[in-house]
Amino acid sequence: MLHGIDVSSHQSTFDADGLAFVFIKATEGRSYINPKQASQASRARKAGCVVGFYHFLWPGNITAQAQYFVEKCASQKHDLLAVDWETTGSGTRASNAEKDRFIREVKKLRPTHRVMLYCNRSFWLNYDTTSYAGDGLWIADYVSAGKPRIKAKWRIHQYTDRPLDKDVANFSSKAALQAWADPSRAALTAEETEDTEDVHIAEGVDAAGAAEGGEEAAREGGA
């Protein structure tokens, strides 16, 4: 397992020493741009980290949101891209179909990038109906690192938000993550080409899991 973090504008500085990857909030809806994303990405790159950017999805105007994300994020070739699908600050959420369409739009606009889905366990089990996660699932479930309570194949697990969002990636080495981040590199293994689709297991979803969807209101929309 590789260790990483994800940050928003709240994290002006962060320690990237010993990390393999850093995800950075880039945009939200069609009006917000993280003013610190370029400096945050520079800090991560200088530490040798794989860099990713994510967009916090709102319902409606999906094509426009995808365009906004790819144009405004400070990404470089083969950086990871992700959509953050959860409850908005106003208590709304994008539909499953809108989530799927956003991922597909970004993949069309940026074909040399991996495009992932971030969501919490409650969304994956209760709101997702297609199991579509683009190139990989980034699941939030605050339990032991690397042991999210889902049956589906996952790439990244966000396991805590204290003192900041911490993640592990299911890769054997940073080199393996870097190779996967570049779709044009050597042929993928059978494991890497497996679809994220799997049986949704709704058993065991409790009030705490359902409450995860509302965490955004408390922390600016960060993944």
Side-chain angles (χ1 to χ4, degrees):
M1 293 289 174
L2 305 178
H3 288 269
I5 58 173
D6 56 276
V7 297
S8 68
S9 63
H10 288 308
Q11 289 78 39
S12 296
T13 62
F14 54 86
D15 184 5
D17 185 40
L19 299 180
F21 62 95
V22 176
F23 269 91
I24 300 160
K25 179 176 181 177
T27 52
E28 179 171 344
R30 293 183 298 150
S31 60
Y32 175 79
I33 302 171
N34 175 8
K36 300 174 182 176
Q37 62 169 315
S39 61
Q40 290 170 323
S42 176
R43 177 183 291 270
R45 294 188 203 285
K46 287 178 181 177
C49 298
V50 174
V51 173
F53 293 89
Y54 68 89
H55 172 84
F56 187 87
L57 187 65
W58 280 66
N61 303 299
I62 299 303
T63 300
Q65 286 192 68
Q67 189 74 40
Y68 188 74
F69 174 44
V70 300
E71 289 180 353
K72 303 302 182 183
C73 78
S75 65
Q76 297 181 6
K77 189 175 182 180
H78 305 320
D79 283 348
L80 299 172
L81 303 177
V83 57
D84 181 351
W85 182 41
E86 56 184 294
T87 302
T88 69
S90 64
T92 61
R93 67 172 182 268
S95 69
N96 188 96
E98 288 175 321
K99 173 266 290 184
D100 288 0
R101 187 151 65 88
F102 182 88
I103 294 172
R104 291 189 169 100
E105 288 289 336
V106 174
K107 284 175 67 65
K108 285 194 297 184
L109 292 167
R110 293 293 183 269
T112 62
H113 294 257
R114 296 286 187 185
V115 184
M116 306 179 69
L117 168 67
Y118 167 94
C119 68
N120 61 47
R121 178 174 179 258
S122 177
F123 266 56
W124 183 250
L125 297 179
N126 296 320
Y127 300 137
D128 188 273
T129 58
T130 60
S131 300
Y132 182 61
D135 294 310
L137 176 62
W138 175 10
I139 190 73
D141 188 22
Y142 294 169
V143 291
S144 297
K147 297 182 179 180
R149 296 167 296 169
I150 60 172
K151 296 279 186 160
K153 178 181 175 64
W154 55 272
R155 288 291 182 184
I156 299 176
H157 174 209
Q158 183 189 89
Y159 62 92
T160 186
D161 62 355
R162 301 187 183 188
L164 77 171
D165 293 344
K166 295 183 178 182
D167 310 85
V168 290
N170 192 17
F171 291 87
S172 59
S173 65
K174 187 190 295 186
L177 174 58
Q178 290 169 329
W180 180 78
D182 180 357
S184 68
R185 291 180 66 173
L188 302 176
T189 65
E191 178 185 357
E192 288 174 334
T193 55
E194 285 177 1
D195 188 15
T196 58
E197 182 172 347
D198 208 324
V199 177
H200 281 67
I201 305 297
E203 301 163 9
V205 177
D206 53 22
E212 289 173 5
E215 67 190 24
E216 187 58 30
R219 41 184 196 92
E220 192 231 352

PDB file of all heavy atoms in Angstrom, residues 140-176:
ATOM      1  N   ALA A 140     -14.194   6.355   0.243  1.00  0.00           N
ATOM      2  CA  ALA A 140     -14.014   6.898   1.591  1.00  0.00           C
ATOM      3  C   ALA A 140     -14.786   6.035   2.580  1.00  0.00           C
ATOM      4  O   ALA A 140     -15.999   5.852   2.448  1.00  0.00           O
ATOM      5  CB  ALA A 140     -14.507   8.337   1.668  1.00  0.00           C
ATOM      6  N   ASP A 141     -14.075   5.484   3.527  1.00  0.00           N
ATOM      7  CA  ASP A 141     -14.685   4.692   4.593  1.00  0.00           C
ATOM      8  C   ASP A 141     -13.715   4.742   5.760  1.00  0.00           C
ATOM      9  O   ASP A 141     -12.593   4.244   5.665  1.00  0.00           O
ATOM     10  CB  ASP A 141     -14.917   3.246   4.130  1.00  0.00           C
ATOM     11  CG  ASP A 141     -15.727   2.434   5.132  1.00  0.00           C
ATOM     12  OD1 ASP A 141     -16.456   3.039   5.947  1.00  0.00           O
ATOM     13  OD2 ASP A 141     -15.631   1.192   5.096  1.00  0.00           O
ATOM     14  N   TYR A 142     -14.139   5.354   6.858  1.00  0.00           N
ATOM     15  CA  TYR A 142     -13.214   5.632   7.943  1.00  0.00           C
ATOM     16  C   TYR A 142     -13.060   4.433   8.880  1.00  0.00           C
ATOM     17  O   TYR A 142     -13.637   4.362   9.961  1.00  0.00           O
ATOM     18  CB  TYR A 142     -13.655   6.881   8.689  1.00  0.00           C
ATOM     19  CG  TYR A 142     -13.558   8.135   7.817  1.00  0.00           C
ATOM     20  CD1 TYR A 142     -14.129   9.329   8.223  1.00  0.00           C
ATOM     21  CD2 TYR A 142     -12.902   8.114   6.588  1.00  0.00           C
ATOM     22  CE1 TYR A 142     -14.044  10.473   7.434  1.00  0.00           C
ATOM     23  CE2 TYR A 142     -12.818   9.229   5.793  1.00  0.00           C
ATOM     24  CZ  TYR A 142     -13.378  10.416   6.213  1.00  0.00           C
ATOM     25  OH  TYR A 142     -13.295  11.540   5.426  1.00  0.00           O
ATOM     26  N   VAL A 143     -12.262   3.509   8.379  1.00  0.00           N
ATOM     27  CA  VAL A 143     -11.920   2.277   9.094  1.00  0.00           C
ATOM     28  C   VAL A 143     -10.418   2.055   8.916  1.00  0.00           C
ATOM     29  O   VAL A 143      -9.706   2.962   8.489  1.00  0.00           O
ATOM     30  CB  VAL A 143     -12.734   1.081   8.563  1.00  0.00           C
ATOM     31  CG1 VAL A 143     -14.208   1.222   8.925  1.00  0.00           C
ATOM     32  CG2 VAL A 143     -12.577   0.942   7.037  1.00  0.00           C
ATOM     33  N   SER A 144      -9.930   0.867   9.206  1.00  0.00           N
ATOM     34  CA  SER A 144      -8.505   0.582   9.058  1.00  0.00           C
ATOM     35  C   SER A 144      -8.047   0.811   7.622  1.00  0.00           C
ATOM     36  O   SER A 144      -8.746   0.441   6.669  1.00  0.00           O
ATOM     37  CB  SER A 144      -8.205  -0.867   9.453  1.00  0.00           C
ATOM     38  OG  SER A 144      -8.516  -1.086  10.816  1.00  0.00           O
ATOM     39  N   ALA A 145      -6.879   1.426   7.477  1.00  0.00           N
ATOM     40  CA  ALA A 145      -6.350   1.741   6.151  1.00  0.00           C
ATOM     41  C   ALA A 145      -6.244   0.498   5.285  1.00  0.00           C
ATOM     42  O   ALA A 145      -5.691  -0.524   5.706  1.00  0.00           O
ATOM     43  CB  ALA A 145      -4.982   2.399   6.294  1.00  0.00           C
ATOM     44  N   GLY A 146      -6.791   0.587   4.082  1.00  0.00           N
ATOM     45  CA  GLY A 146      -6.729  -0.520   3.138  1.00  0.00           C
ATOM     46  C   GLY A 146      -7.790  -1.575   3.321  1.00  0.00           C
ATOM     47  O   GLY A 146      -7.754  -2.609   2.644  1.00  0.00           O
ATOM     48  N   LYS A 147      -8.770  -1.313   4.210  1.00  0.00           N
ATOM     49  CA  LYS A 147      -9.823  -2.296   4.453  1.00  0.00           C
ATOM     50  C   LYS A 147     -11.218  -1.670   4.384  1.00  0.00           C
ATOM     51  O   LYS A 147     -12.020  -1.794   5.316  1.00  0.00           O
ATOM     52  CB  LYS A 147      -9.611  -2.961   5.814  1.00  0.00           C
ATOM     53  CG  LYS A 147      -8.308  -3.754   5.891  1.00  0.00           C
ATOM     54  CD  LYS A 147      -8.152  -4.444   7.240  1.00  0.00           C
ATOM     55  CE  LYS A 147      -6.860  -5.254   7.287  1.00  0.00           C
ATOM     56  NZ  LYS A 147      -6.678  -5.933   8.588  1.00  0.00           N
ATOM     57  N   PRO A 148     -11.530  -0.986   3.274  1.00  0.00           N
ATOM     58  CA  PRO A 148     -12.873  -0.408   3.155  1.00  0.00           C
ATOM     59  C   PRO A 148     -13.926  -1.506   3.108  1.00  0.00           C
ATOM     60  O   PRO A 148     -13.681  -2.590   2.563  1.00  0.00           O
ATOM     61  CB  PRO A 148     -12.809   0.365   1.832  1.00  0.00           C
ATOM     62  CG  PRO A 148     -11.767  -0.355   1.038  1.00  0.00           C
ATOM     63  CD  PRO A 148     -10.740  -0.791   2.045  1.00  0.00           C
ATOM     64  N   ARG A 149     -15.098  -1.216   3.645  1.00  0.00           N
ATOM     65  CA  ARG A 149     -16.146  -2.227   3.760  1.00  0.00           C
ATOM     66  C   ARG A 149     -17.011  -2.280   2.512  1.00  0.00           C
ATOM     67  O   ARG A 149     -18.212  -2.026   2.529  1.00  0.00           O
ATOM     68  CB  ARG A 149     -16.990  -1.935   4.997  1.00  0.00           C
ATOM     69  CG  ARG A 149     -16.229  -2.030   6.310  1.00  0.00           C
ATOM     70  CD  ARG A 149     -17.015  -1.438   7.451  1.00  0.00           C
ATOM     71  NE  ARG A 149     -17.221   0.002   7.241  1.00  0.00           N
ATOM     72  CZ  ARG A 149     -18.052   0.748   7.963  1.00  0.00           C
ATOM     73  NH1 ARG A 149     -18.767   0.199   8.930  1.00  0.00           N
ATOM     74  NH2 ARG A 149     -18.171   2.033   7.713  1.00  0.00           N
ATOM     75  N   ILE A 150     -16.378  -2.648   1.391  1.00  0.00           N
ATOM     76  CA  ILE A 150     -17.093  -2.843   0.136  1.00  0.00           C
ATOM     77  C   ILE A 150     -16.532  -4.082  -0.540  1.00  0.00           C
ATOM     78  O   ILE A 150     -15.437  -4.538  -0.220  1.00  0.00           O
ATOM     79  CB  ILE A 150     -16.968  -1.631  -0.814  1.00  0.00           C
ATOM     80  CG1 ILE A 150     -15.494  -1.377  -1.170  1.00  0.00           C
ATOM     81  CG2 ILE A 150     -17.617  -0.392  -0.212  1.00  0.00           C
ATOM     82  CD1 ILE A 150     -15.299  -0.332  -2.244  1.00  0.00           C
ATOM     83  N   LYS A 151     -17.296  -4.623  -1.482  1.00  0.00           N
ATOM     84  CA  LYS A 151     -16.847  -5.797  -2.227  1.00  0.00           C
ATOM     85  C   LYS A 151     -16.165  -5.416  -3.531  1.00  0.00           C
ATOM     86  O   LYS A 151     -15.429  -6.200  -4.102  1.00  0.00           O
ATOM     87  CB  LYS A 151     -18.051  -6.693  -2.541  1.00  0.00           C
ATOM     88  CG  LYS A 151     -18.718  -7.282  -1.314  1.00  0.00           C
ATOM     89  CD  LYS A 151     -17.973  -8.501  -0.815  1.00  0.00           C
ATOM     90  CE  LYS A 151     -18.738  -9.159   0.324  1.00  0.00           C
ATOM     91  NZ  LYS A 151     -18.333 -10.553   0.528  1.00  0.00           N
ATOM     92  N   ALA A 152     -16.436  -4.216  -4.033  1.00  0.00           N
ATOM     93  CA  ALA A 152     -15.925  -3.800  -5.334  1.00  0.00           C
ATOM     94  C   ALA A 152     -14.417  -3.583  -5.304  1.00  0.00           C
ATOM     95  O   ALA A 152     -13.837  -3.260  -4.266  1.00  0.00           O
ATOM     96  CB  ALA A 152     -16.617  -2.507  -5.775  1.00  0.00           C
ATOM     97  N   LYS A 153     -13.801  -3.711  -6.451  1.00  0.00           N
ATOM     98  CA  LYS A 153     -12.383  -3.415  -6.604  1.00  0.00           C
ATOM     99  C   LYS A 153     -12.195  -1.912  -6.405  1.00  0.00           C
ATOM    100  O   LYS A 153     -12.950  -1.108  -6.926  1.00  0.00           O
ATOM    101  CB  LYS A 153     -11.918  -3.829  -8.001  1.00  0.00           C
ATOM    102  CG  LYS A 153     -10.459  -3.520  -8.305  1.00  0.00           C
ATOM    103  CD  LYS A 153     -10.140  -3.957  -9.723  1.00  0.00           C
ATOM    104  CE  LYS A 153      -8.717  -3.571 -10.129  1.00  0.00           C
ATOM    105  NZ  LYS A 153      -7.697  -4.248  -9.326  1.00  0.00           N
ATOM    106  N   TRP A 154     -11.173  -1.531  -5.663  1.00  0.00           N
ATOM    107  CA  TRP A 154     -10.888  -0.118  -5.439  1.00  0.00           C
ATOM    108  C   TRP A 154      -9.419   0.156  -5.684  1.00  0.00           C
ATOM    109  O   TRP A 154      -8.579  -0.738  -5.594  1.00  0.00           O
ATOM    110  CB  TRP A 154     -11.280   0.302  -4.021  1.00  0.00           C
ATOM    111  CG  TRP A 154     -10.640  -0.523  -2.934  1.00  0.00           C
ATOM    112  CD1 TRP A 154     -11.114  -1.690  -2.398  1.00  0.00           C
ATOM    113  CD2 TRP A 154      -9.382  -0.263  -2.296  1.00  0.00           C
ATOM    114  NE1 TRP A 154     -10.230  -2.170  -1.459  1.00  0.00           N
ATOM    115  CE2 TRP A 154      -9.162  -1.315  -1.358  1.00  0.00           C
ATOM    116  CE3 TRP A 154      -8.430   0.750  -2.394  1.00  0.00           C
ATOM    117  CZ2 TRP A 154      -8.018  -1.384  -0.566  1.00  0.00           C
ATOM    118  CZ3 TRP A 154      -7.289   0.694  -1.602  1.00  0.00           C
ATOM    119  CH2 TRP A 154      -7.100  -0.365  -0.697  1.00  0.00           C
ATOM    120  N   ARG A 155      -9.112   1.416  -5.988  1.00  0.00           N
ATOM    121  CA  ARG A 155      -7.732   1.832  -6.208  1.00  0.00           C
ATOM    122  C   ARG A 155      -7.176   2.626  -5.025  1.00  0.00           C
ATOM    123  O   ARG A 155      -6.020   2.487  -4.669  1.00  0.00           O
ATOM    124  CB  ARG A 155      -7.640   2.693  -7.483  1.00  0.00           C
ATOM    125  CG  ARG A 155      -7.811   1.914  -8.772  1.00  0.00           C
ATOM    126  CD  ARG A 155      -6.635   0.992  -9.010  1.00  0.00           C
ATOM    127  NE  ARG A 155      -6.760   0.270 -10.263  1.00  0.00           N
ATOM    128  CZ  ARG A 155      -5.894  -0.652 -10.666  1.00  0.00           C
ATOM    129  NH1 ARG A 155      -4.865  -0.968  -9.901  1.00  0.00           N
ATOM    130  NH2 ARG A 155      -6.053  -1.262 -11.817  1.00  0.00           N
ATOM    131  N   ILE A 156      -8.024   3.512  -4.463  1.00  0.00           N
ATOM    132  CA  ILE A 156      -7.581   4.361  -3.363  1.00  0.00           C
ATOM    133  C   ILE A 156      -8.622   4.303  -2.251  1.00  0.00           C
ATOM    134  O   ILE A 156      -9.827   4.293  -2.514  1.00  0.00           O
ATOM    135  CB  ILE A 156      -7.365   5.810  -3.843  1.00  0.00           C
ATOM    136  CG1 ILE A 156      -6.275   5.859  -4.919  1.00  0.00           C
ATOM    137  CG2 ILE A 156      -6.992   6.728  -2.668  1.00  0.00           C
ATOM    138  CD1 ILE A 156      -6.065   7.230  -5.519  1.00  0.00           C
ATOM    139  N   HIS A 157      -8.148   4.280  -1.019  1.00  0.00           N
ATOM    140  CA  HIS A 157      -9.027   4.260   0.147  1.00  0.00           C
ATOM    141  C   HIS A 157      -8.697   5.458   1.036  1.00  0.00           C
ATOM    142  O   HIS A 157      -7.591   5.567   1.556  1.00  0.00           O
ATOM    143  CB  HIS A 157      -8.831   2.957   0.930  1.00  0.00           C
ATOM    144  CG  HIS A 157      -9.584   2.916   2.219  1.00  0.00           C
ATOM    145  ND1 HIS A 157      -9.145   2.188   3.318  1.00  0.00           N
ATOM    146  CD2 HIS A 157     -10.754   3.490   2.608  1.00  0.00           C
ATOM    147  CE1 HIS A 157     -10.006   2.325   4.307  1.00  0.00           C
ATOM    148  NE2 HIS A 157     -10.992   3.118   3.909  1.00  0.00           N
ATOM    149  N   GLN A 158      -9.673   6.345   1.198  1.00  0.00           N
ATOM    150  CA  GLN A 158      -9.544   7.429   2.182  1.00  0.00           C
ATOM    151  C   GLN A 158     -10.047   6.872   3.509  1.00  0.00           C
ATOM    152  O   GLN A 158     -11.215   6.533   3.638  1.00  0.00           O
ATOM    153  CB  GLN A 158     -10.373   8.643   1.756  1.00  0.00           C
ATOM    154  CG  GLN A 158     -10.234   9.827   2.697  1.00  0.00           C
ATOM    155  CD  GLN A 158     -11.225  10.921   2.361  1.00  0.00           C
ATOM    156  OE1 GLN A 158     -12.344  10.907   2.863  1.00  0.00           O
ATOM    157  NE2 GLN A 158     -10.842  11.846   1.485  1.00  0.00           N
ATOM    158  N   TYR A 159      -9.153   6.812   4.489  1.00  0.00           N
ATOM    159  CA  TYR A 159      -9.494   6.095   5.719  1.00  0.00           C
ATOM    160  C   TYR A 159      -9.652   6.991   6.946  1.00  0.00           C
ATOM    161  O   TYR A 159     -10.091   6.530   7.997  1.00  0.00           O
ATOM    162  CB  TYR A 159      -8.468   5.002   6.005  1.00  0.00           C
ATOM    163  CG  TYR A 159      -7.056   5.487   6.227  1.00  0.00           C
ATOM    164  CD1 TYR A 159      -6.597   5.783   7.515  1.00  0.00           C
ATOM    165  CD2 TYR A 159      -6.173   5.645   5.159  1.00  0.00           C
ATOM    166  CE1 TYR A 159      -5.301   6.227   7.732  1.00  0.00           C
ATOM    167  CE2 TYR A 159      -4.883   6.089   5.362  1.00  0.00           C
ATOM    168  CZ  TYR A 159      -4.450   6.378   6.646  1.00  0.00           C
ATOM    169  OH  TYR A 159      -3.165   6.825   6.854  1.00  0.00           O
ATOM    170  N   THR A 160      -9.303   8.268   6.830  1.00  0.00           N
ATOM    171  CA  THR A 160      -9.508   9.202   7.939  1.00  0.00           C
ATOM    172  C   THR A 160      -9.469  10.628   7.410  1.00  0.00           C
ATOM    173  O   THR A 160      -8.932  10.888   6.320  1.00  0.00           O
ATOM    174  CB  THR A 160      -8.429   9.029   9.027  1.00  0.00           C
ATOM    175  OG1 THR A 160      -8.741   9.863  10.143  1.00  0.00           O
ATOM    176  CG2 THR A 160      -7.050   9.394   8.514  1.00  0.00           C
ATOM    177  N   ASP A 161     -10.029  11.557   8.193  1.00  0.00           N
ATOM    178  CA  ASP A 161      -9.923  12.973   7.853  1.00  0.00           C
ATOM    179  C   ASP A 161      -9.230  13.754   8.960  1.00  0.00           C
ATOM    180  O   ASP A 161      -9.329  14.979   9.015  1.00  0.00           O
ATOM    181  CB  ASP A 161     -11.301  13.570   7.559  1.00  0.00           C
ATOM    182  CG  ASP A 161     -12.248  13.530   8.747  1.00  0.00           C
ATOM    183  OD1 ASP A 161     -11.883  12.948   9.796  1.00  0.00           O
ATOM    184  OD2 ASP A 161     -13.363  14.069   8.632  1.00  0.00           O
ATOM    185  N   ARG A 162      -8.509  13.060   9.837  1.00  0.00           N
ATOM    186  CA  ARG A 162      -7.840  13.715  10.962  1.00  0.00           C
ATOM    187  C   ARG A 162      -6.373  13.321  11.051  1.00  0.00           C
ATOM    188  O   ARG A 162      -6.078  12.129  11.004  1.00  0.00           O
ATOM    189  CB  ARG A 162      -8.568  13.346  12.267  1.00  0.00           C
ATOM    190  CG  ARG A 162     -10.022  13.774  12.245  1.00  0.00           C
ATOM    191  CD  ARG A 162     -10.689  13.581  13.554  1.00  0.00           C
ATOM    192  NE  ARG A 162     -12.109  13.959  13.443  1.00  0.00           N
ATOM    193  CZ  ARG A 162     -12.935  14.034  14.468  1.00  0.00           C
ATOM    194  NH1 ARG A 162     -12.504  13.745  15.677  1.00  0.00           N
ATOM    195  NH2 ARG A 162     -14.186  14.389  14.290  1.00  0.00           N
ATOM    196  N   PRO A 163      -5.503  14.333  11.123  1.00  0.00           N
ATOM    197  CA  PRO A 163      -5.758  15.779  11.125  1.00  0.00           C
ATOM    198  C   PRO A 163      -6.061  16.345   9.750  1.00  0.00           C
ATOM    199  O   PRO A 163      -6.407  17.510   9.611  1.00  0.00           O
ATOM    200  CB  PRO A 163      -4.448  16.345  11.674  1.00  0.00           C
ATOM    201  CG  PRO A 163      -3.411  15.374  11.195  1.00  0.00           C
ATOM    202  CD  PRO A 163      -4.076  14.032  11.277  1.00  0.00           C
ATOM    203  N   LEU A 164      -5.922  15.528   8.711  1.00  0.00           N
ATOM    204  CA  LEU A 164      -6.329  15.876   7.352  1.00  0.00           C
ATOM    205  C   LEU A 164      -6.681  14.585   6.636  1.00  0.00           C
ATOM    206  O   LEU A 164      -6.514  13.499   7.183  1.00  0.00           O
ATOM    207  CB  LEU A 164      -5.236  16.647   6.622  1.00  0.00           C
ATOM    208  CG  LEU A 164      -4.021  15.882   6.071  1.00  0.00           C
ATOM    209  CD1 LEU A 164      -3.189  16.799   5.193  1.00  0.00           C
ATOM    210  CD2 LEU A 164      -3.169  15.301   7.160  1.00  0.00           C
ATOM    211  N   ASP A 165      -7.210  14.699   5.421  1.00  0.00           N
ATOM    212  CA  ASP A 165      -7.625  13.506   4.687  1.00  0.00           C
ATOM    213  C   ASP A 165      -6.410  12.658   4.319  1.00  0.00           C
ATOM    214  O   ASP A 165      -5.503  13.127   3.619  1.00  0.00           O
ATOM    215  CB  ASP A 165      -8.365  13.910   3.413  1.00  0.00           C
ATOM    216  CG  ASP A 165      -9.689  14.574   3.696  1.00  0.00           C
ATOM    217  OD1 ASP A 165     -10.181  14.465   4.834  1.00  0.00           O
ATOM    218  OD2 ASP A 165     -10.229  15.225   2.783  1.00  0.00           O
ATOM    219  N   LYS A 166      -6.425  11.403   4.776  1.00  0.00           N
ATOM    220  CA  LYS A 166      -5.333  10.484   4.491  1.00  0.00           C
ATOM    221  C   LYS A 166      -5.860   9.303   3.686  1.00  0.00           C
ATOM    222  O   LYS A 166      -6.984   8.843   3.894  1.00  0.00           O
ATOM    223  CB  LYS A 166      -4.684   9.995   5.788  1.00  0.00           C
ATOM    224  CG  LYS A 166      -3.991  11.088   6.577  1.00  0.00           C
ATOM    225  CD  LYS A 166      -3.298  10.511   7.817  1.00  0.00           C
ATOM    226  CE  LYS A 166      -2.564  11.580   8.603  1.00  0.00           C
ATOM    227  NZ  LYS A 166      -1.862  11.012   9.780  1.00  0.00           N
ATOM    228  N   ASP A 167      -5.003   8.802   2.795  1.00  0.00           N
ATOM    229  CA  ASP A 167      -5.399   7.746   1.862  1.00  0.00           C
ATOM    230  C   ASP A 167      -4.295   6.713   1.719  1.00  0.00           C
ATOM    231  O   ASP A 167      -3.120   6.994   1.987  1.00  0.00           O
ATOM    232  CB  ASP A 167      -5.667   8.338   0.468  1.00  0.00           C
ATOM    233  CG  ASP A 167      -6.585   9.536   0.488  1.00  0.00           C
ATOM    234  OD1 ASP A 167      -6.100  10.670   0.711  1.00  0.00           O
ATOM    235  OD2 ASP A 167      -7.788   9.354   0.281  1.00  0.00           O
ATOM    236  N   VAL A 168      -4.701   5.542   1.252  1.00  0.00           N
ATOM    237  CA  VAL A 168      -3.750   4.550   0.773  1.00  0.00           C
ATOM    238  C   VAL A 168      -4.168   4.143  -0.633  1.00  0.00           C
ATOM    239  O   VAL A 168      -5.359   4.152  -0.973  1.00  0.00           O
ATOM    240  CB  VAL A 168      -3.674   3.302   1.684  1.00  0.00           C
ATOM    241  CG1 VAL A 168      -3.030   3.645   3.008  1.00  0.00           C
ATOM    242  CG2 VAL A 168      -5.042   2.672   1.884  1.00  0.00           C
ATOM    243  N   ALA A 169      -3.185   3.817  -1.457  1.00  0.00           N
ATOM    244  CA  ALA A 169      -3.437   3.373  -2.829  1.00  0.00           C
ATOM    245  C   ALA A 169      -3.007   1.922  -2.970  1.00  0.00           C
ATOM    246  O   ALA A 169      -1.955   1.525  -2.456  1.00  0.00           O
ATOM    247  CB  ALA A 169      -2.689   4.247  -3.834  1.00  0.00           C
ATOM    248  N   ASN A 170      -3.813   1.140  -3.667  1.00  0.00           N
ATOM    249  CA  ASN A 170      -3.575  -0.292  -3.796  1.00  0.00           C
ATOM    250  C   ASN A 170      -2.620  -0.584  -4.953  1.00  0.00           C
ATOM    251  O   ASN A 170      -2.996  -1.152  -5.977  1.00  0.00           O
ATOM    252  CB  ASN A 170      -4.914  -1.008  -3.994  1.00  0.00           C
ATOM    253  CG  ASN A 170      -4.773  -2.517  -3.840  1.00  0.00           C
ATOM    254  OD1 ASN A 170      -3.792  -3.007  -3.292  1.00  0.00           O
ATOM    255  ND2 ASN A 170      -5.756  -3.252  -4.317  1.00  0.00           N
ATOM    256  N   PHE A 171      -1.356  -0.172  -4.747  1.00  0.00           N
ATOM    257  CA  PHE A 171      -0.294  -0.422  -5.720  1.00  0.00           C
ATOM    258  C   PHE A 171       0.929  -0.910  -4.955  1.00  0.00           C
ATOM    259  O   PHE A 171       1.159  -0.516  -3.808  1.00  0.00           O
ATOM    260  CB  PHE A 171       0.051   0.840  -6.510  1.00  0.00           C
ATOM    261  CG  PHE A 171      -1.035   1.272  -7.450  1.00  0.00           C
ATOM    262  CD1 PHE A 171      -2.058   2.098  -7.010  1.00  0.00           C
ATOM    263  CD2 PHE A 171      -1.033   0.851  -8.768  1.00  0.00           C
ATOM    264  CE1 PHE A 171      -3.073   2.493  -7.869  1.00  0.00           C
ATOM    265  CE2 PHE A 171      -2.040   1.239  -9.637  1.00  0.00           C
ATOM    266  CZ  PHE A 171      -3.066   2.060  -9.188  1.00  0.00           C
ATOM    267  N   SER A 172       1.737  -1.714  -5.608  1.00  0.00           N
ATOM    268  CA  SER A 172       2.894  -2.307  -4.940  1.00  0.00           C
ATOM    269  C   SER A 172       4.035  -1.322  -4.764  1.00  0.00           C
ATOM    270  O   SER A 172       4.879  -1.492  -3.879  1.00  0.00           O
ATOM    271  CB  SER A 172       3.385  -3.522  -5.730  1.00  0.00           C
ATOM    272  OG  SER A 172       3.744  -3.138  -7.056  1.00  0.00           O
ATOM    273  N   SER A 173       4.091  -0.291  -5.600  1.00  0.00           N
ATOM    274  CA  SER A 173       5.182   0.669  -5.534  1.00  0.00           C
ATOM    275  C   SER A 173       4.752   1.974  -6.198  1.00  0.00           C
ATOM    276  O   SER A 173       3.770   2.012  -6.953  1.00  0.00           O
ATOM    277  CB  SER A 173       6.425   0.126  -6.247  1.00  0.00           C
ATOM    278  OG  SER A 173       6.174  -0.011  -7.632  1.00  0.00           O
ATOM    279  N   LYS A 174       5.509   3.035  -5.934  1.00  0.00           N
ATOM    280  CA  LYS A 174       5.226   4.305  -6.594  1.00  0.00           C
ATOM    281  C   LYS A 174       5.418   4.174  -8.106  1.00  0.00           C
ATOM    282  O   LYS A 174       4.677   4.762  -8.893  1.00  0.00           O
ATOM    283  CB  LYS A 174       6.123   5.412  -6.046  1.00  0.00           C
ATOM    284  CG  LYS A 174       5.753   6.797  -6.581  1.00  0.00           C
ATOM    285  CD  LYS A 174       6.777   7.860  -6.241  1.00  0.00           C
ATOM    286  CE  LYS A 174       6.869   8.112  -4.770  1.00  0.00           C
ATOM    287  NZ  LYS A 174       7.767   9.254  -4.460  1.00  0.00           N
ATOM    288  N   ALA A 175       6.397   3.373  -8.508  1.00  0.00           N
ATOM    289  CA  ALA A 175       6.630   3.152  -9.932  1.00  0.00           C
ATOM    290  C   ALA A 175       5.407   2.514 -10.589  1.00  0.00           C
ATOM    291  O   ALA A 175       5.043   2.850 -11.720  1.00  0.00           O
ATOM    292  CB  ALA A 175       7.864   2.273 -10.144  1.00  0.00           C
ATOM    293  N   ALA A 176       4.764   1.584  -9.871  1.00  0.00           N
ATOM    294  CA  ALA A 176       3.562   0.945 -10.404  1.00  0.00           C
ATOM    295  C   ALA A 176       2.423   1.956 -10.536  1.00  0.00           C
ATOM    296  O   ALA A 176       1.670   1.938 -11.519  1.00  0.00           O
ATOM    297  CB  ALA A 176       3.143  -0.211  -9.499  1.00  0.00           C
TER     298      ALA A 176
END
